[in-house]
Amino acid sequence: MQDDLERVLFSEEKILARLDEIAAEITADYRERELTVIAVLNGSLIFMADLLRRIPLPLKLDCLSVASYHGGIKSSGDVVFRQVSLPDVAGRHILILDDILDSGLTLNAIRRKLEEANPRSIRVCVLLEKQIPRAAPIEADYVGFKIAGEFVVGYGLDYMERYRNLPCIGVLRKELIAP
Ligand code: IMP
Ligand code: MG
């Protein structure tokens, strides 16, 4: 798998060191609040597992499953919610966790959907943020790393459902991406 990478952007060690920092920030910010974390499947799974174990707060965890890519490397913009029953959101402070903020269409759709359930607040935490113009008006409150507008895989991020179990994050070799 690692041979399919053109280059490694973040080693596992570097990712975990950054998670220590974000977790400390989130812990400080939510110390006195009723926190519900909502992780967006499948991309945020590994990030979520490593991040939440670094946050010593009595939080609740739920997951949402959406699809917006339908297999390729560009967001289709049409976001399908595979899970319709909303988690414990009303009156709580919500932190949405996702792997990457790209066009923003997915996170914006999720945020709007959760707002309908009257949370006290909503913030967004992403491991990666692409430095590109967004197609939807959404910003992340906690960001692991900012990256250029390249397609990356590993540490939960996939290309056609592969590479999620790579421990690092890297750029996939161009010839492996279907035109
Ligand atoms: P958006 O709606 O364009 O912001 O896309 C959000 C989703 O697309 C993310 O949660 C990822 O699952 C996927 N995605 C965006 N960029 C990448 C990438 O570089 N590699 C792998 N998946 C990506
Ligand atoms: Mg994906």
Side-chain angles (χ1 to χ4, degrees):
M1 272 196 307
Q2 188 113 15
D3 295 344
D4 290 356
L5 296 183
E6 185 182 284
R7 63 187 195 282
V8 172
L9 291 182
F10 308 107
S11 66
E12 185 177 16
E13 195 186 6
K14 193 159 176 193
I15 296 168
L16 295 179
R18 181 69 185 123
L19 294 198
D20 284 338
E21 296 174 353
I22 309 177
E25 243 185 274
I26 294 172
T27 303
D29 291 352
Y30 287 91
R31 185 154 274 134
E32 306 294 331
R33 304 194 205 172
E34 298 283 324
L35 174 60
T36 296
V37 172
I38 298 186
V40 183
L41 299 176
N42 295 330
S44 73
L45 258 177
I46 293 173
F47 171 43
M48 171 198 71
D50 283 339
L51 181 72
L52 295 191
R53 282 178 294 175
R54 289 168 163 75
I55 301 178
L57 295 176
L59 56 83
K60 292 188 181 177
L61 169 64
D62 225 313
C63 297
L64 267 186
S65 181
V66 298
S68 61
Y69 262 49
H70 312 298
I73 63 161
K74 277 224 160 61
S75 186
S76 64
D78 121 54
V79 177
V80 182
F81 285 80
R82 295 197 188 113
Q83 179 194 325
V84 271
S85 79
L86 282 179
D88 191 8
V89 171
R92 295 186 62 90
H93 294 281
I94 304 303
L95 182 63
I96 305 171
L97 282 193
D98 205 357
D99 51 0
I100 189 165
L101 180 56
D102 185 16
S103 73
L105 292 167
T106 310
L107 273 170
N108 191 50
I110 292 170
R111 192 186 174 126
R112 296 180 77 148
K113 180 107 184 159
L114 292 175
E115 272 164 2
E116 292 170 12
N118 297 315
R120 286 192 62 183
S121 69
I122 300 189
R123 284 187 187 173
V124 174
C125 172
V126 292
L127 178 63
L128 303 174
E129 182 183 281
K130 281 193 192 171
Q131 303 291 88
I132 56 158
R134 309 267 171 258
I138 180 121
E139 281 174 35
D141 302 281
Y142 305 94
V143 176
F145 304 100
K146 297 189 175 184
I147 62 169
E150 327 179 82
F151 193 79
V152 297
V153 294
Y155 198 75
L157 291 130
D158 73 302
Y159 173 57
M160 311 247 284
E161 295 305 325
R162 292 184 61 211
Y163 307 104
R164 291 197 198 275
N165 57 326
L166 258 183
C168 62
I169 295 170
V171 179
L172 201 56
R173 287 181 12 225
K174 303 273 178 300
E175 66 268 28
L176 295 173
I177 299 177

